[in-house]
Amino acid sequence: MSSSQTASESPRQYQLFIDGKWVDAESGKTFTTPNPSTGETLAEVAEADKADVDKAVAAARRAFEGKWSKMSARDRGRLLYKLSQLIESKSSELAALETADNGKPIKESTYIDLPGVVENFEYFAGWATKIEGETIPVPGQMFNYTLREPLGVCGQIIPWNFPLLMAAWKLAPALAAGNTIVLKPAEQTPVTAMELGKLFQEAGFPDGVVNIVPGYGETAGAALASHPGIDKIAFTGSTEVGKIIARTAADNLTKVSLELGGKAPNIVFADADIEQAVSGAMMGIFFNQGQVCCAGSRLFLDERVKDEFLARFKERAEKVKVGDPMDAATQMGPQVSAEQLARVRGYVDIARGEGATVFTGGGSPELEGNFKNGYFFQPTVFSEVQNSMRVAQEEIFGPVASVITFKDEKDLIKQANDTIYGLSAGIWTKDITRAHRFAKEIKAGTVWINTFNMMNAASPFGGYKQSGYGREMGKHALELYTHVKSVWVDLSGKPIGWYGN
Ligand code: NAI
Ligand code: MG
């Protein structure tokens, strides 16, 4: 299937998934989502708003109070495992839809996104039976233990950069812990989340355990975040909206976890293997069209290797195959939307205005046929950047690296930490002492040493500073979706005695 074929089919149709049923929006409204490689309509989707969110929250509450909380942990785990197998069996179809909706190369959706989705559901399926309390050695004739209980109804709002994978990161731990969900996918990429709804049904999850309400952020998203009937809101997206969510949630003191933006330093020391570091810089900023929260968007180069590194980096960047994302050989597809393309273009002007140099790229590539209307942008490198410039401080969220040079380690650490963000960082060096010193001194949730963008369902991911709070994946994700209850039991059989007997 090529994107042009996908686009020439009539648009796919999706309804909302509420209480185990497929329903239209109360308002009857729909919205369309384009294929970003051609701009043609891929799907027409029911548009949820407050009334639909109300219904979904009520359904999730009924499911939580009803069948779901009575189900054994083992059965919950088995359902999650079954779901992971269903997803695996439909991987190639889901990968093609992800690429059609988001624009990411089919190579990435096939070998990164879908396997990651399967892995996350599989990993958390195993956790369902391993969520345990503790016994605490308290003094006196007392027995004290803790229970780990689900929070209840969780609202989950996800972005468009890894649509199905972000759904998996949110849904899998929440369900393993026994919560019910109202999920709002991003308006740019609702398609695979709706397909996932079908698989939840097929796997046999009780009605209302997972509800999926596609719609816009300012309407459906805001209605969910401000809903008094939810116990928790989990969000991945921009730092700007993350702050709105946190403020909104404060009104009901709803629990919040946030995975927000980043401006990761990716650092090359003079002793690094330059070829390895160049490949890591490319993985850091060109993967997924640069639309990655942990992208290595600030490329710090040791002055002594700057020229050699940049010459090789430029040569490799110019060879990146940009085009039809359905082509297995394509390495970079379009940006997700016209808005994102405009935003990335805007930063080229900002860079020039600030005195940086557009070292390579900086515009849209010339493509043929239908792809002329796609939202493509070239792999781009800004050199002569100062860390204080906007292009070094603001998240561009495109295939754009800002190159900053440094003299020594002390100077480097200061600059690397001089950002509002703290999601991830990379370092390229053969000096093991320096690498671990850096891992300790950098304020970021993930550090990569001589690698980049490595992730696993078992390893925690999340931010320092304004990159958010809470850790997704790994056992730490369960903390986002459970209460700890402390239970005290008197073993003496005597009155308390404080007021005399
Ligand atoms: P966004 O933060 O507006 O959207 C993310 C999600 O939040 C979507 O589902 C959206 O519908 C929802 N949303 C938006 N406004 C909301 C509100 N007031 N209440 C509740 N939910 C709301 O991100 P957007 O506008 O798509 O992209 C803008 C920039 O955000 C990007 O250029 C990038 O810098 C950053 N971003 C970061 C992501 C990350 O993974 N950390 C993912 C997506 C965007
Ligand atoms: Mg927005």
Side-chain angles (χ1 to χ4, degrees):
M1 183 165 63
S2 78
S3 330
S4 44
Q5 275 163 349
T6 311
S8 61
E9 287 166 8
S10 57
R12 307 172 74 92
Q13 307 280 331
Y14 294 99
Q15 292 173 291
L16 312 177
F17 184 55
I18 298 177
D19 207 11
K21 286 158 209 73
W22 295 93
V23 293
D24 289 332
E26 290 284 309
S27 67
K29 282 203 246 173
T30 60
F31 68 103
T32 57
T33 171
N35 177 330
S37 62
T38 60
E40 289 173 61
T41 301
L42 172 71
E44 184 183 6
V45 185
E47 183 191 327
D49 201 344
K50 187 175 181 311
D52 311 290
V53 169
D54 285 348
K55 271 168 62 182
V57 170
R61 178 62 59 191
R62 282 194 302 276
F64 181 72
E65 307 288 351
K67 273 196 184 159
W68 193 236
S69 59
K70 290 176 192 74
M71 189 178 280
S72 71
R74 182 183 179 199
D75 285 345
R76 279 204 315 272
R78 285 166 72 108
L79 279 176
L80 281 166
Y81 188 67
K82 189 160 176 208
L83 178 75
S84 75
Q85 290 186 307
L86 285 173
I87 297 168
E88 193 162 34
S89 71
K90 296 228 158 53
S91 278
S92 42
E93 191 187 326
L94 289 167
L97 280 174
E98 197 75 310
T99 287
D101 203 10
N102 166 281
K104 64 178 68 206
I106 190 72
K107 185 177 161 195
E108 290 180 13
S109 46
T110 303
Y111 297 109
I112 310 271
D113 293 63
L114 263 296
V117 173
V118 173
E119 178 192 273
N120 271 273
F121 281 115
E122 211 177 275
Y123 173 81
F124 283 104
W127 266 112
T129 48
K130 294 160 198 76
I131 301 171
E132 299 169 338
E134 307 135 312
T135 57
I136 321 279
V138 291
Q141 293 267 66
M142 286 287 163
F143 173 41
N144 178 229
Y145 64 93
T146 61
L147 296 172
R148 280 251 168 206
E149 297 181 342
L151 299 177
V153 177
C154 299
Q156 302 186 321
I157 300 175
I158 55 171
W160 42 260
N161 52 346
F162 296 88
L164 203 49
L165 187 58
M166 291 301 99
W169 282 22
K170 295 265 179 297
L171 290 163
L175 293 169
N179 299 277
T180 59
I181 316 289
V182 178
L183 176 80
K184 195 204 80 65
E187 56 270 37
Q188 297 85 350
T189 56
V191 167
T192 49
M194 305 325 292
E195 293 292 335
L196 187 62
K198 296 180 190 169
L199 300 183
F200 271 107
Q201 269 182 313
E202 196 178 331
F205 279 79
D207 291 349
V209 169
V210 173
N211 305 274
I212 308 176
V213 287
Y216 292 96
E218 296 74 13
T219 52
L224 185 55
S226 62
H227 206 292
I230 60 168
D231 299 290
K232 192 239 157 79
I233 184 87
F235 172 79
T236 296
S238 61
T239 293
E240 183 194 352
V241 174
K243 289 179 185 177
I244 297 176
I245 302 263
R247 276 189 217 109
T248 307
D251 278 343
N252 301 315
L253 289 175
T254 306
K255 292 179 173 47
V256 185
S257 55
L258 302 171
E259 201 262 273
L260 309 175
K263 196 74 192 179
N266 195 7
I267 295 149
V268 183
F269 275 93
D271 69 341
D273 178 321
I274 296 296
E275 207 47 44
Q276 196 190 18
V278 168
S279 69
M282 296 185 59
M283 171 50 88
I285 196 61
F286 300 143
F287 178 64
N288 205 38
Q289 294 72 242
Q291 302 166 144
V292 184
C293 48
C294 55
S297 49
R298 284 186 299 153
L299 186 57
F300 283 96
L301 303 181
D302 190 318
E303 274 184 357
R304 287 164 293 177
V305 288
K306 175 193 163 209
D307 292 335
E308 185 195 349
F309 184 98
L310 278 181
R312 292 207 215 177
F313 190 41
K314 181 174 194 279
E315 191 192 326
R316 297 281 299 278
E318 287 168 1
K319 279 195 195 135
V320 170
K321 196 167 178 300
V322 185
D324 180 2
M326 288 292 183
D327 182 338
T330 293
Q331 296 168 312
M332 188 181 286
Q335 302 295 294
V336 76
S337 62
E339 290 75 24
Q340 284 302 121
L341 177 62
R343 179 188 166 104
V344 174
R345 282 195 179 135
Y347 276 103
V348 175
D349 299 331
I350 292 170
R352 289 207 175 97
E354 287 182 308
T357 303
V358 180
F359 188 67
T360 184
S364 291
E366 296 285 331
L367 296 172
E368 306 277 297
N370 279 349
F371 302 115
K372 274 191 168 52
N373 301 322
Y375 315 132
F376 294 91
F377 199 77
Q378 292 166 323
T380 296
V381 179
F382 298 151
S383 59
E384 314 300 328
V385 175
Q386 302 294 322
N387 194 52
S388 56
M389 290 179 183
R390 285 183 64 190
V391 291
Q393 290 293 324
E394 298 173 13
E395 187 174 51
I396 299 176
F397 227 61
V400 183
S402 295
V403 174
I404 304 164
T405 55
F406 66 93
K407 286 191 184 58
D408 56 45
E409 196 178 317
K410 228 173 114 197
D411 162 45
L412 179 262
I413 295 282
K414 200 163 149 269
Q415 292 198 70
N417 276 330
D418 183 11
T419 164
I420 61 165
Y421 296 115
L423 194 55
S424 65
I427 182 168
W428 303 83
T429 177
K430 292 196 187 109
D431 182 339
I432 185 174
T433 320
R434 175 156 59 207
H436 289 287
R437 197 160 50 228
F438 172 78
K440 201 168 167 213
E441 287 178 9
I442 192 77
K443 293 188 169 47
T446 297
V447 179
W448 289 297
I449 298 172
N450 294 330
T451 185
F452 211 90
N453 279 348
M454 291 308 296
M455 288 191 196
N456 185 273
S459 183
F461 183 84
Y464 279 47
K465 300 193 271 184
Q466 293 194 31
S467 291
Y469 32 80
R471 291 292 176 273
E472 302 195 271
M473 298 198 287
K475 64 182 174 198
H476 302 277
L478 298 166
E479 287 160 23
L480 302 183
Y481 293 103
T482 49
H483 280 299
V484 179
K485 183 182 277 178
S486 177
V487 183
W488 289 82
V489 187
D490 168 76
L491 299 178
S492 74
K494 292 184 190 145
I496 290 176
W498 186 260
Y499 298 102
N501 290 323

